[in-house]
Amino acid sequence: MNLEKQLDKYAELAVKVGINLKEKEGLLLSGNEAALPLARKIMAKAYEAGAKHVEFQFRDDQMSIIRYLNGKEYVFENVPQFKIDSLEAMYKENYHQLFVMAPDPELLKEIDGELIAKDQKTQSLAVAPVMKYRMTGITKWSIVAVPSDAWSKSVFPDLPLEEATEKLWEKIFEATRVDQEDPVKAWQDHNANLRKYKDFLNEKDFEKLTFKAPGTDLEVHLADRHYWMGGSKDSQAGDAYVANIPTEEVFTTPHQLKVNGTLKATKPLSLNGKLVDDFGFTFKDGKVVDFYAEKGYDVLEKLMSNDEGAKYLGEVALVPDDSPISNTGILFNNTLFDENASCHFALGRAYSYAMRDGSEATQEELTERGANYSLIHVDFMVGGPELEIIGYEKDGREVQIFTKGNWAF
Ligand code: ZN
Ligand code: ZN
């Protein structure tokens, strides 16, 4: 594998398909040390594409730990206002945001879970007012991922580091279609395919879906005037951008109060650097009334105690078992990849853009229509080769949507 050449293609994909950066637009780019080789190439491609300015924000993993270990209590109760103001100023001045992440699945494993939860709650509350720029499509944004040493080791624990890193790169390039001759073209085709499913589901406007698989028997009503999304989104300026690379999902908003039955996760969940595994939930009238987890029970419990909405679903997403990520045959230990290997649900906030006229609606209106509100949004996987999904139209007619884990049509 010629890593330099692949990195060029990856950077081009991020700028042209992920952000779809236009002339005279600004780019806010961020990443840690491991992200630098790709971030530099992205900067080059962004200026080539006519960026007015590329701002790079460095995020050091070790400094994140130092802050947790040494900060006084009040450090985690406050976000400096200038950080929020500068972010809003950039969004207002036509800057778009690209995150290069090099995750360490166990980075925060020695840090007190309560402190992390408190910190994240503070951060979420602080950025909530400016999240609307991204939520309503004023700001285009995208995430791409690169290996960190810890990530490579977690995915391939039996290989020496160098080999593990090379192998993870290969899997990332397969999952993101960078290994294909023309990744930009491959993504145009992929987006068109996702649009086909999305349009079908929107036209049917199902009342409810049922999910059946080992450990899962769940009925999920969809929110009133829910909207199916998938692949690229259009910004308010009319440019198609892809918020997650990779993405394989078609997703919408479940009705917060109309979910009943049991649900078993089919893959582990990496949460704040901690693993939750062998877990599942029981829902009654939308709320989690019981749950289990062989590993990471307390992490899951804390997650759901963030606020009332953290105990309700905010997303239902369909991903065929036969897709590039699933076909890599590995668990990436990272939600960006693993959620796109599998059908999933999210606990927490619904996306307003996964509701018709959602961007213009107030939170009260969205809540009225069944869209959940929370400060968190955390995906967990439920797909697999045995999953059967049936859609029920408003007049009761049944449509098989998934059979044996894949699209039934
Ligand atoms: Zn999703
Ligand atoms: Zn999600």
Side-chain angles (χ1 to χ4, degrees):
M1 179 180 61
N2 181 338
L3 185 60
E4 283 297 303
K5 196 175 148 217
Q6 297 294 73
L7 279 180
D8 275 326
K9 287 166 77 181
Y10 200 16
E12 183 169 6
L13 184 69
V15 171
K16 287 200 173 155
V17 173
I19 296 292
N20 192 2
L21 192 77
K22 301 296 183 194
E23 262 183 30
K24 304 278 171 66
E25 289 181 337
L27 184 66
L28 172 57
L29 181 63
S30 63
N32 62 13
E33 201 176 343
L36 286 173
L38 181 65
R40 291 180 184 124
K41 288 193 182 288
I42 286 173
M43 186 178 272
K45 296 283 180 194
Y47 279 121
E48 256 176 54
K52 64 174 174 180
H53 176 72
V54 181
E55 180 71 14
F56 181 67
Q57 284 181 344
F58 187 61
R59 298 179 179 184
D60 183 59
D61 285 355
Q62 290 312 310
M63 287 186 185
S64 301
I65 304 226
I66 288 166
R67 175 173 168 275
Y68 277 125
L69 292 178
N70 299 278
K72 306 281 187 236
E73 185 102 358
Y74 48 76
V75 170
F76 310 100
E77 291 164 354
N78 176 55
V79 176
Q81 188 57 38
F82 78 88
K83 291 186 73 163
I84 309 300
D85 293 343
S86 69
L87 189 62
E88 181 159 30
M90 281 191 265
Y91 287 163
K92 278 185 176 161
E93 288 169 28
N94 204 13
Y95 277 69
H96 303 274
Q97 196 166 14
L98 182 57
F99 304 87
V100 181
M101 59 167 197
D104 174 348
E106 304 213 312
L107 178 68
L108 303 179
K109 72 172 181 212
E110 303 299 334
I111 309 294
D112 175 30
E114 217 146 307
L115 185 65
I116 297 169
K118 182 181 185 177
D119 186 40
Q120 292 196 331
K121 190 170 179 175
T122 303
Q123 307 261 358
S124 311
L125 276 171
V127 298
V130 293
M131 278 302 284
K132 66 168 190 276
Y133 290 87
R134 280 168 50 189
M135 288 288 189
T136 59
I138 294 171
T139 304
K140 297 178 282 187
W141 59 284
S142 189
I143 305 175
V144 293
V146 302
S148 66
D149 288 354
W151 187 20
S152 304
K153 271 188 246 170
S154 90
V155 180
F156 300 108
D158 301 330
L159 296 180
L161 178 59
E162 205 174 316
E163 270 176 59
T165 304
E166 168 143 358
K167 189 108 182 157
L168 183 54
W169 268 123
E170 277 173 21
K171 295 292 177 186
I172 289 173
F173 292 143
E174 282 173 38
T176 54
R177 297 175 168 79
V178 168
D179 65 335
Q180 297 188 23
E181 181 68 27
D182 184 350
V184 172
K185 170 78 170 60
W187 272 84
Q188 284 161 352
D189 295 345
H190 176 47
N191 279 328
N193 194 37
L194 290 174
R195 194 171 308 125
K196 183 186 81 180
Y197 290 117
K198 184 173 82 174
D199 289 348
F200 176 82
L201 294 163
N202 278 327
E203 194 186 309
K204 287 286 178 193
D205 193 26
F206 289 111
E207 173 65 26
K208 66 172 182 181
L209 308 179
T210 57
F211 290 75
K212 283 200 167 66
T216 291
D217 188 354
L218 193 74
E219 183 178 88
V220 180
H221 283 257
L222 300 176
D224 301 338
R225 301 181 61 235
H226 63 275
Y227 187 67
W228 289 91
M229 305 274 303
S232 61
K233 288 194 272 261
D234 287 335
S235 71
Q236 284 198 6
D239 303 324
Y241 68 101
V242 178
N244 290 339
I245 291 184
T247 184
E248 303 290 330
E249 63 177 338
V250 176
F251 65 98
T252 195
T253 309
H255 194 294
Q256 177 189 6
L257 303 175
K258 298 182 187 173
V259 178
N260 285 288
T262 56
L263 190 52
K264 185 183 188 310
T266 50
K267 286 175 193 286
L269 166 65
S270 174
L271 205 60
N272 303 331
K274 296 181 183 180
L275 271 191
V276 183
D277 204 359
D278 283 322
F279 64 104
F281 308 90
T282 302
F283 291 89
K284 189 168 187 314
D285 298 330
K287 189 175 182 173
V288 174
V289 290
D290 194 18
F291 71 99
Y292 61 93
E294 292 297 317
K295 199 179 170 194
Y297 183 92
D298 57 326
V299 184
L300 202 53
E301 190 174 40
K302 250 174 220 128
L303 176 78
M304 287 191 290
S305 63
N306 254 286
D307 52 28
E308 186 59 16
K311 298 173 196 72
Y312 292 82
L313 296 180
E315 178 194 358
V316 47
L318 308 182
V319 182
D321 199 44
D322 179 15
S323 68
I325 300 176
S326 183
N327 292 341
T328 60
I330 62 165
L331 187 67
F332 282 88
N333 293 335
N334 180 274
T335 302
L336 176 62
F337 287 80
D338 294 327
E339 77 156 333
N340 280 296
S342 179
C343 285
H344 56 272
F345 287 91
L347 284 170
R349 185 177 189 157
Y351 293 116
S352 55
Y353 48 73
M355 295 288 281
R356 286 184 193 272
D357 307 318
S359 300
E360 298 91 62
T362 64
Q363 187 54 52
E364 289 71 41
E365 287 163 352
L366 292 174
T367 303
E368 183 73 19
R369 286 159 58 189
N372 188 30
Y373 181 77
S374 169
L375 291 174
I376 67 150
H377 176 104
V378 174
D379 295 308
F380 59 93
M381 289 8 110
V382 301
E386 291 164 291
L387 181 62
E388 300 285 322
I389 306 174
I390 293 171
Y392 293 79
E393 295 183 52
K394 301 260 188 290
D395 61 8
R397 251 185 299 178
E398 295 180 20
V399 179
Q400 185 91 32
I401 298 177
F402 263 50
T403 186
K404 296 193 171 69
N406 288 306
W407 291 105
F409 52 88

